[in-house]
Amino acid sequence: MNHDPEALLALFDHEMREHARPDGPGVRIERTGDVVRQVGAADDWNGVVWSAPELDPARADSVIEAQVVRYTALGHDEFEWKLYAHDRPADLDRRLLAAGFEAEEPETLLVAPVAELSTRVTLPDGVRLRTVRDADDVELMARAHERAFGSDWSRLRHQVLARLAEDPDGFVGVLAMAGDEPVSSARMELYRGTGFAGLWGGGTVEAWRGKGLYRALVAFRAQIAAERGYRYLQVDASDMSSPILRRLGFVALSTTTPYVYRSR
């Protein structure tokens, strides 16, 4: 298995960006030659996932403007351009800002070969892990997320419910339960037709942090990914989770920054 970071990044760009698949029911991928973008309803993730390496400064501004026109015509007042540090032209970030996009916090793109990750789950006393099965479990995920991050989960609730109802084999939700109380939750997206599965979430309520729950959730999902034949796990990691993931065997390939356009 090739673990060279440049080769892994090229594979990620090819499978997950240039040849992106819809990330849930009711969304579609549009390809223009210059960009690959996802389009869905207002509660879905809408945005540009890839831009051609050949995109040059002479055309970049008009390509950016074309995305604004496209999403606005579809009735979206918000969408994202998911920019990676190695994307071209080198000043694409500046051009997005000039076009009215706002940069959010950057994250580190981390990838690990599934076969080399530990799948041993070690939990604190009184905590058990289980997969999400129904709408009641989704509400438990929402409660854990909102207590962990202090942010609204309404959009993610819509997406997770849609996945459970229409594409359960492409999604895994995990709950960490202390008795009847959710103390952590996480998700895994299984990108069929690629070798990648993506880890998302992993938020733990404050009283339960520092007890190994994040590592346990990674190991639990790695076990499922291995059973289903996926070769790599991918994470867009915050500064808080990145050091943990590196210690577990993940390798940093690039950084990614959401540039968000809001028309209102």
Side-chain angles (χ1 to χ4, degrees), residues 9 11 17 34 41 50-51 54 63 65 83 141 149 151 157 160 171 185 193 196 205 226 230 239:
L9 181 58
L11 180 66
R17 301 182 64 206
D34 289 314
W50 178 84
S51 57
E54 301 80 17
V63 170
E65 178 59 25
L83 182 70
M141 287 188 77
F149 295 110
S151 58
R157 180 186 284 108
V160 171
F171 164 84
S185 67
F196 290 88
V205 301
Y230 287 85
D239 289 342

Side-chain angles (χ1 to χ4, degrees), residues 46-48 61 63-69 71 78-82 92-104 258-262:
N46 289 273
V48 175
D61 291 342
V63 170
I64 292 170
E65 178 59 25
Q67 309 319 305
V68 174
V69 170
Y71 280 104
E78 178 179 321
F79 73 96
E80 178 181 321
W81 187 303
K82 192 167 176 58
L92 188 52
D93 54 350
R94 182 185 63 77
R95 293 173 182 275
L96 288 166
L97 292 172
F101 288 74
E102 298 176 4
E104 299 192 343
Y259 281 78
V260 180
Y261 183 90
R262 298 179 178 91

Side-chain angles (χ1 to χ4, degrees), residues 1 25 37 49 61-62 79 92 106 123 138 142 144 153 167 175-176 179 182 192 212 220-221 229 235 252 257:
M1 191 179 292
R37 61 186 173 233
V49 298
D61 291 342
S62 62
F79 73 96
L92 188 52
L123 293 167
V138 175
W153 212 66
D167 186 26
L175 283 165
R192 286 189 292 267
F220 187 80
R221 288 174 289 172
V235 187
T257 303

Side-chain angles (χ1 to χ4, degrees), residues 107-110 214 235 237-248 250 252:
E107 297 174 312
T108 302
L109 170 64
L110 295 166
Y214 186 88
V235 187
S238 67
D239 289 342
M240 181 179 297
S241 57
S242 182
I244 304 171
L245 292 163
R246 290 172 189 258
R247 289 195 294 271
L248 294 176
F250 284 76

Side-chain angles (χ1 to χ4, degrees), residues 95-149:
R95 293 173 182 275
L96 288 166
L97 292 172
F101 288 74
E102 298 176 4
E104 299 192 343
E105 288 297 314
E107 297 174 312
T108 302
L109 170 64
L110 295 166
V111 171
V114 171
E116 297 184 8
L117 292 173
S118 171
T119 56
R120 182 172 179 267
V121 176
T122 303
L123 293 167
D125 291 342
V127 176
R128 70 190 189 280
L129 297 184
R130 65 175 176 82
T131 55
V132 170
R133 300 163 299 198
D134 53 31
D136 289 340
D137 285 348
V138 175
E139 292 309 310
L140 293 174
M141 287 188 77
R143 189 191 310 171
H145 177 95
E146 290 170 353
R147 288 178 62 198
F149 295 110

Side-chain angles (χ1 to χ4, degrees), residues 182-213:
V183 295
S184 188
S185 67
R187 313 184 311 281
M188 180 166 64
E189 300 286 343
L190 302 168
Y191 304 112
R192 286 189 292 267
T194 80
F196 290 88
L199 303 187
W200 302 91
T204 300
V205 301
E206 187 172 2
W208 287 89
R209 291 173 189 165
K211 301 179 185 296
L213 280 177

